[in-house]
Amino acid sequence: MNQHTRIVVVGNGMVGHYFMQELVKRHPDLAAANLQVTVLGEEPRPAYDRVHLSSFFSGSTAEDLSLVEPGFYDRPGLELRLNARVSHIDRHQHLITLTDNTTLSYDKLVLATGSVPFVPSVAGRDRENCFVYRTIEDLEAMTAAGKTAKSGVVVGGGLLGLECAKALRDMGLDTHVVEFAPRLMAVQVDEAGGRVLRSQIENLGVHVHTSRNTTAIVDGATARHRMVFFDETWLETDMIVFSAGIRPRDELARESGLAIGARGGIAIDDFSRSSDHDIYAIGECASWNDEMFGLVAPGYDMARTACAHLAGETASTFQGADMSTKLKLMGVDVASVGDAHGKTHGCRSYQYTDEVRNIYKKIVVSEDGKKLLGAVLIGNADEYGTLQQMTVNDMALPENPEFLILPASDGKAKPGLGVDALPDTAVLCSCNNVSKGAIGEAVAAGNCSIGAIKSCTKAGTACGGCVPLVTQVMKAQMVKLGMTVNNHLCEHFPYSRQELYHLVRVGEIRTFSDLLHKHGKGLGCDICKPTAASILASVWNDFILKKDLASLQDSNDYFLGNIQKDGSYSVVPRMPGGEVTPDGLIAIGQIAKKYQLYTKVTGGARVDMFGARVEQLPNIWEELIAAGFESGHAYGKSLRTVKSCVGSTWCRYGVDDSVGLAVQLENRYKGLRAPHKIKFGVSGCTRECAEAQGKDVGLIATESGWNLYVCGNGGMKPRHAELIASDLSKEDAIRMIDRFLMFYIRTADRLQRTSTWRDNLEGGLDYLKDVVIHDSLGLGAELEAQMQHVVNNYQDEWKTAVNDPEVRKRFRSFVNSMAGDTNIVFVKERDQLRPATVEEKQQAQEKQAAKVIPILAATE
């Protein structure tokens, strides 16, 4: 690039922001690279995820949908201007004018203006409570209108229309879809597939009206609007949302004289350049070979190409895009690959229909039967990855291609894609342009879990459709590199933690020695012993310091307290929901004062007391138990806290009793052992004072019930929890939490937090929803019963310990003495004791020695 190159990017949507990510990747210090970049965003907020826009209606916030990392646009050489709309481009002066009459000069201009929803020219289309489905502001307006509406209609039965229909249904509206074509998703699916899709959608309670052409929208008799159709039939509704396709935002290009594609859009070449080679166009506003692309993946590809060309590279070109798609619309799998309609001359097709389960599958093959040209999958899309790669990479079909879509009935595996047959150049993740070769390189660098692969390559982090195939490639590459593709717990057990869990549960094994005898070898180790201890506690909930179990525990569980750096322990009594009486606080203060313990209010809304010596623990516990407290399990891989705001009991914004529910949840799940620690949060309204969306399990009260969030965490790698169900009753919320926690306990790896576990689930959040909410595995009742068993067998470990003389013997610093450990030394700071530093401890020991030596001399 030239010195002091001025780049202006018009548009800060998904593609515009991706362009900036690519540019920053190439030039981390833009200013040092002599680049001055200005990004103009028309909306009041920076780039957000439009692909998952409908999640806004089920609890996701604008912050959740944001694609912008904190500080991204704060770097030197980069400026982001929001609420900035361009009105004119002067190509000769290399100048753009904004609607506020400010001007900007450019050397290179990147147009990422996207598209606008198509609104049919219907009289009444601009009436109140008629919306388009495009921006967060649109959704906020729909949400406000939905509070008084009872019914809603989506005009358009394509991808966006069905996404919008899901949003209206999630709002609780009686939902209709009106489509001009004779079937839903006419671009992606054929007639037979359309029939099955319609049946699936209608089974979900959405009314479908096809072959309907709206001619006018007028006042309704029973609702706000009446939609009048061409055949003089009509439909009444309170809300109308137009989602009937998109049109490219090419008005700036037209006005400035740039070449336009035959069907609209800014004409671009293979480098994403317009007819003016100082102006690039990327995303939905662009037309390549008179073809426009309404998916995000081709837009990302254009952005990469433009960025490479700006850097002087000509090897990277845009060559069109694979428009294969795999989506889950209102819980229904829908996938389309290649020539789904069979338009290729001489092609043939194979079809499979299951009218009982509403499944339809079709493949289109070449005339000679050797190549796959396209496919349609409705109701089940398990074969999508295989079929998509076969089509894109022009791979040979098996001898009987129909078996690719027929269900296996003889117990044999279906013919599929051998990942070794894929070339390294095969793109597995089209959204982020991740090839098979890139996955192989990531594995060679030590990334051998799907979570690690996602993190380092970004594969599977957009739509997620490629994850099953990426997993296959990852494992195949591990085998090729001589790695052992297993998840054995350790050398003593040739099983994963999940498999070991099932062996314990099915075999009713209650001791480690029995488990080792039946399924392991050797004596065990520091990996398998605490893992087995956790599994046994999760299944049977026996006292962890029983004779056969105590030796398995790590140091914290063995002493029922967290060991600190100086060898002392912390004591954390449980305060369910953070609720505590004045008498309880007084008792804690008296105990802390008596034993000279450092006290601190924790982030989980309870009191932690530090500095207890091991021989003091039973006495401290006894006094806490007498005051009504019990173990807070701060030492265990178990439920730690349920953080709560004050809710509707006190707060003027609260809409439900968050404290009451938090107390109930903490008392239900206290003592539950899991692969990792678990934290809850319960907020009484969407102001979220309990930070529920940063917890493993979070509940937020709404006017209609409780929204349930899962798999969040704070710590070194904070992660937002994800909404899994909305508007639940308290009873239903508890049932769903029972299922979620027990499914996590059953299937997670050792020391795996819920967030990491969720990232490694091949089906992602949709799979987790299916299992927990929709009971797709038929395990719901079993998981609930198993949780109830754990709840019924709860015991306060402190109380059991202090009441058992044999257990109390363990809490001594020395076997043959009740004396304390003199190596534990404290100093005073801010009116409390803290552990002494090495230097302070040496000084204390020297003072002690000085007192002793003269006495010894006097007796000589």
Side-chain angles (χ1 to χ4, degrees), residues 618-659:
N619 297 331
I620 293 172
W621 296 338
E622 275 185 321
E623 295 184 35
L624 285 169
I625 292 166
F629 292 101
E630 59 187 7
S631 168
H633 289 93
Y635 48 82
K637 299 294 186 287
S638 55
L639 175 69
R640 294 290 180 86
T641 58
V642 181
K643 189 173 182 178
S644 171
C645 64
V646 296
S648 58
T649 307
W650 294 95
C651 181
R652 66 186 185 276
Y653 300 111
V655 296
D656 213 325
D657 181 13
S658 56
V659 179

Side-chain angles (χ1 to χ4, degrees), residues 2 18 23 142 186 220 249 287 445 614 658 699 800 803 857:
N2 298 325
Y18 188 85
L23 190 64
M142 290 168 60
R249 290 279 303 273
S287 172
V614 67
S658 56
L699 286 158
T800 305
N803 289 336

Side-chain angles (χ1 to χ4, degrees), residues 665-679:
L665 292 173
E666 188 156 351
N667 282 327
R668 179 170 182 79
Y669 301 115
K670 60 187 179 184
L672 175 68
R673 286 310 203 278
H676 209 289
K677 64 184 177 185
I678 303 169
K679 296 183 178 181

Side-chain angles (χ1 to χ4, degrees), residues 435-495:
S435 66
K436 176 189 173 184
I439 300 298
E441 291 173 4
V443 171
N447 300 285
C448 298
S449 72
I450 194 63
I453 292 293
K454 285 181 178 181
S455 177
C456 69
T457 69
K458 304 303 180 186
T461 58
C463 74
C466 64
V467 172
L469 189 58
V470 169
T471 304
Q472 291 179 44
V473 171
M474 177 191 73
K475 291 181 177 179
Q477 185 67 16
M478 290 172 67
V479 171
K480 188 181 294 185
L481 293 175
M483 301 179 184
T484 302
V485 184
N486 65 48
N487 47 3
H488 294 176
L489 188 64
C490 67
E491 63 195 76
H492 304 105
F493 288 98
Y495 303 101

Side-chain angles (χ1 to χ4, degrees), residues 591 595 615-624 802 808:
I591 293 167
Y595 292 96
E615 78 278 1
Q616 295 175 323
L617 290 174
N619 297 331
I620 293 172
W621 296 338
E622 275 185 321
E623 295 184 35
L624 285 169
V802 299
R808 287 193 74 138

Side-chain angles (χ1 to χ4, degrees), residues 109-165:
L109 180 63
V110 180
L111 299 178
T113 49
S115 62
V116 292
F118 169 67
V119 180
S121 300
V122 177
R125 63 180 180 172
D126 55 353
R127 288 166 56 93
E128 188 178 5
N129 280 19
C130 289
F131 305 98
V132 293
Y133 185 72
R134 186 63 176 169
T135 68
I136 288 180
E137 284 68 40
D138 294 332
L139 271 58
E140 288 174 338
M142 290 168 60
T143 301
K147 291 179 179 178
T148 56
K150 294 181 180 179
S151 59
V153 169
V154 178
V155 178
L159 292 174
L160 289 175
L162 293 181
E163 275 290 321
C164 183

